[in-house]
Amino acid sequence: MTVTLADVAARAQVSPATVSRVLNGNYPVAATTRERVLRAVDELDYVLNGPASALAAATSDLVGILVNDIADPFFGIMASAIQSEIGGPGGRAGGERLAVVCNTGGSPERELTYLTLLQRQRAAAVVLTGGAMENEPHAAAVAAKLRRLGEAGTRIVLCGRPPAPETTAIALTFDNRGGGRELTEHLIGLGHRRLGYIAGPEERTTTRHRLEGHRAALAAAGIEEDPRWTVHGRYDRRAGYEATLELLRRDPSLTAVVAANDSVALGACAALRDSGLRIPDDVSVAGFDDLPFSIDAMPSLTTVRLPLAEAGARAGRIAMGREEPPPGGIATVRGELMVRGSSGVPRE
Amino acid sequence: MTVTLADVAARAQVSPATVSRVLNGNYPVAATTRERVLRAVDELDYVLNGPASALAAATSDLVGILVNDIADPFFGIMASAIQSEIGGPGGRAGGERLAVVCNTGGSPERELTYLTLLQRQRAAAVVLTGGAMENEPHAAAVAAKLRRLGEAGTRIVLCGRPPAPETTAIALTFDNRGGGRELTEHLIGLGHRRLGYIAGPEERTTTRHRLEGHRAALAAAGIEEDPRWTVHGRYDRRAGYEATLELLRRDPSLTAVVAANDSVALGACAALRDSGLRIPDDVSVAGFDDLPFSIDAMPSLTTVRLPLAEAGARAGRIAMGREEPPPGGIATVRGELMVRGSSGVPRE
DNA sequence: CCTTGTATAGAAAGCGCTTGCTGTAACGCT
DNA sequence: AGCGTTACAGCAAGCGCTTTCTATACAAGG
């Protein structure tokens, strides 16, 4: 029914061992023999049996990429960059690898399940992207799983995620705190004193770090923060819209709204407009990430650009062992403040 | 070193066969025995060896999702929906499956490579999303590959992609032609007579179908199309920006610009604004897809909503054999015209 | 001409799991 | 009591490949 190595061997009049060696190209095979084998492969339309090969060789060519939300360009861009350094015929020398992205939907259980599945497949490497959960039992479970994966020889890279102590994971961490701080400093520099903040889900590291940066900037400027000025929500437009209305209700005198990310910021803009407020004349808005659409908003969004594609590419190369990991296994990737039309001096 | 089935069997004082059956749960095992085995699995922290299992059972739990551009929400949304019906602990009864998305980057070779890789892994199912290439040799190669995959028992579903004759593939096709036609009819109905069209890459089916719909609407209204009114480009914002400038250069009297998709439309809006034109007062703009950000553009985008999430979910269910395929293996998914702020009556 | 070295091919032993088939008790029936 | 059932559990034969070790052939050196 299906063509096997043995069939190819028979047709090429060689032993299965030789065919295997031709296909893997890591053992001397005479040119004429190789030729003959390749022809047979072609004629029979032979396709290697991945599981069998993985079993015998005790390695696989699968590389997993875990993302929180594949529908969000933040992850899409990173995943794309990672994959481009790993998979398909895109890259490199050294055998094709199946780079696969797994969508956890931000759910801790799914994250764990995917890691187990990847462990089952004896994945060659795993890249985890985006913020981690701070929920304790889960964090411990993930760390344990990563440790076990690492012991089994799977290379692990965290991209845009805080380091995982006691594991072999290499971490490329985004400087969310620094970016958040810089952004708010910019707003304060323009003269804003009453700033609303729309944070992401409470239990994400990203949320906490960005918020900490924001607060650090306020503190440095001697601005006492009003607890009413912070609202939590999901990382999407809808949440931004609702949170903004809530913020406005709590304190109509706010002159700026800082959002957890660009999608949220867009929702905030919509809410402000729907409330009859002009941006930035009445209220300034700022986002985070600088996703491609952010420049198209009207007015275009002041935000912090994160080099998602670059970081992803680097993570991919490290996962493939094609780039030296940073010293200590940890590198911080900084963002860049992009001042655009959505922020201006406060009214009055 | 690594724990195997045999280790578990020894610990539970049963044969490996029994352990396997407990784990696969498709054969009667006494409750007490099962209990004992499960405990051993737990104590030993045993993880099934995927390749070995796939080899022995001649099946795998991998499901591949091919997308053209994972950084584009159009694909991200579909992939997310497909995956939610397939993978992780998200869905279903019947064993966990590893749903993986593969990014072809729109490259025919990568598409083929991924299909081969998936074939190697003996994937349980494959979902191909988005428009196909019309490039003849490649189309034939893909068809051949799909046929072979189908013969090997892999279920194949096309989502937002035209049917593949002579294969076992089930197709959920978007009615790009109908949507394109409806959109242009709307514009014509408003009074527009000189409409620019920014098409996608020439060799994509999606591009051709949307353009055909547009032209059908023009023809039906007795409008003779000027060849200068159509420009081709990639499916991204940048291309839309440049194409619009080109369109304006060719014929400054255009009163509407129809874009191949929403990203392109956003680029078009930016170009129009940068040219000092107001939307829709001077020029109306229309997109396609209705991605989440489209409603946030200023003005919000008139477009055709494609039920990406619904179609993806359905494709996922069909791929898993949890939903009957449509009769004839082909279903057409229609879009819905969303009239918003970016289209209005032409000036003068 | 025989020994040693080098290049290449084959034999065969698994890799860790699944599953058809073969026991073997315990059970129910006549 | 005798016999067919039923319900589990184990044996063992692979699944299709990789890889170590061994064999062969020929070239070169003494």
Side-chain angles (χ1 to χ4, degrees), chain A residues 56-80:
Chain A
T59 63
S60 113
D61 51 6
L62 205 64
V63 176
I65 302 172
L66 263 64
V67 302
N68 281 350
D69 180 5
I70 203 180
D72 182 340
F74 175 82
F75 292 100
I77 291 169
M78 272 195 288
S80 171

Side-chain angles (χ1 to χ4, degrees), chain A residues 77-102:
Chain A
I77 291 169
M78 272 195 288
S80 171
I82 296 168
Q83 197 160 31
S84 74
E85 291 290 336
I86 287 176
R92 89 354 353 285
E96 267 136 25
R97 299 187 167 285
L98 215 206
V100 303
V101 359
C102 308

